[in-house]
Amino acid sequence: MKTVKENFTNEIIIKNSRFITLLFQVFDDTDISSIIDKVKIEYPKANHYCYAYITENKKKASDDGEPGGTAGMPMLNVLEKENIINVLAITVRYFGGIKLGAGGLVRAYSKSVRDAILRCNEVEVVKGVKVKITISYDMQKNLDYTLREYNVVNKIYDEKVTYTVLLPNDKLDLINDYDYVVVSEEFIEKI
């Protein structure tokens, strides 16, 4: 699976209509309506703000006034075909005066999202976990060596040292000798 490394914008013009596709990394659907509202402010007077998103637990699409099934679902189909997760794609359309017809709209929205995905920075992700590992100071050098290739998010120095680390599910055996707690399950960048 893949996701976008950072937010990205791409624009294409098809028969005088501007299709501006914005890709956002999202992890759940709680911020989606506020992101769409911000896009509407950034791109005022557009005719349509169609979107599709896929998170670990949910996927959804909206045609935002385009004929049913001609915008949101084609966008969602591209995300699925490209094996993208945790992404919100919003395509802003400024109508250029030439009607595209249902087939033309499907092709235009699909192309707009596909082009944005091809041009953005993607990263491969795998299922993983965020863990907290608590160790004594004398074990720190060994743990640092064990985790040298993985994402150590944070270290807290107190009576003991507590690491917060992102690990792929298949690498949990690396820390079996340590006292750890799984904080959350999530998709993490493949190493």
Side-chain angles (χ1 to χ4, degrees):
M1 298 199 128
K2 299 176 284 186
T3 192
V4 294
K5 192 166 179 97
E6 65 257 342
N7 297 344
F8 184 79
T9 303
N10 189 63
E11 179 176 339
I12 62 173
I13 297 176
I14 298 175
K15 294 189 178 180
N16 297 333
S17 284
R18 288 175 61 201
F19 292 85
I20 304 164
T21 295
L22 302 100
L23 302 176
F24 298 91
Q25 190 177 66
V26 295
F27 297 99
D28 56 44
D29 61 348
T30 56
D31 295 331
I32 291 186
S33 61
S34 66
I35 293 170
I36 293 168
D37 289 343
K38 288 176 187 172
V39 168
K40 287 179 179 181
I41 292 168
E42 189 174 342
Y43 297 93
K45 299 182 184 176
N47 299 88
H48 304 281
Y49 304 89
C50 304
Y51 68 87
Y53 68 86
I54 298 177
T55 63
E56 188 173 353
N57 301 320
K58 192 171 184 180
K59 57 186 171 181
K60 186 175 178 183
S62 168
D63 295 318
D64 190 45
E66 292 284 25
T70 61
M73 282 309 295
M75 294 169 65
L76 183 62
N77 290 338
V78 171
L79 295 178
E80 289 176 325
K81 183 179 178 194
E82 295 296 327
N83 210 14
I84 302 283
I85 192 161
N86 293 339
V87 172
L88 164 64
I90 302 172
T91 300
V92 177
R93 180 182 182 205
Y94 289 94
F95 179 62
I98 300 172
K99 292 188 177 187
L100 301 179
L105 287 171
V106 168
R107 287 187 295 277
Y109 280 100
S110 297
K111 178 175 176 36
S112 186
V113 172
R114 192 175 306 106
D115 285 2
I117 290 170
L118 290 174
R119 288 182 171 85
C120 77
N121 289 327
E122 298 174 321
V123 292
E124 253 190 270
V125 291
V126 294
K127 284 193 174 190
V129 290
K130 182 186 283 187
V131 296
K132 287 195 181 225
I133 306 166
T134 304
I135 59 166
S136 60
Y137 281 88
D138 60 327
M139 296 175 69
Q140 188 173 359
K141 190 176 262 188
N142 289 341
L143 186 57
D144 283 340
Y145 182 77
T146 300
L147 298 176
R148 68 192 176 283
E149 296 178 11
Y150 301 98
N151 186 359
V152 177
V153 177
N154 192 14
K155 289 183 192 176
I156 298 174
Y157 297 91
D158 207 358
E159 290 178 30
K160 293 187 174 199
V161 184
T162 302
Y163 287 65
T164 304
V165 184
L166 296 174
L167 286 174
N169 285 343
D170 64 349
K171 298 297 180 184
L172 275 173
D173 60 331
L174 291 173
I175 59 171
N176 280 342
D177 294 338
Y178 301 97
D179 181 25
Y180 72 90
V181 174
V182 174
V183 177
S184 62
E185 294 181 14
E186 50 194 74
F187 281 96
I188 62 171
E189 194 170 330
K190 185 177 181 181
I191 296 177

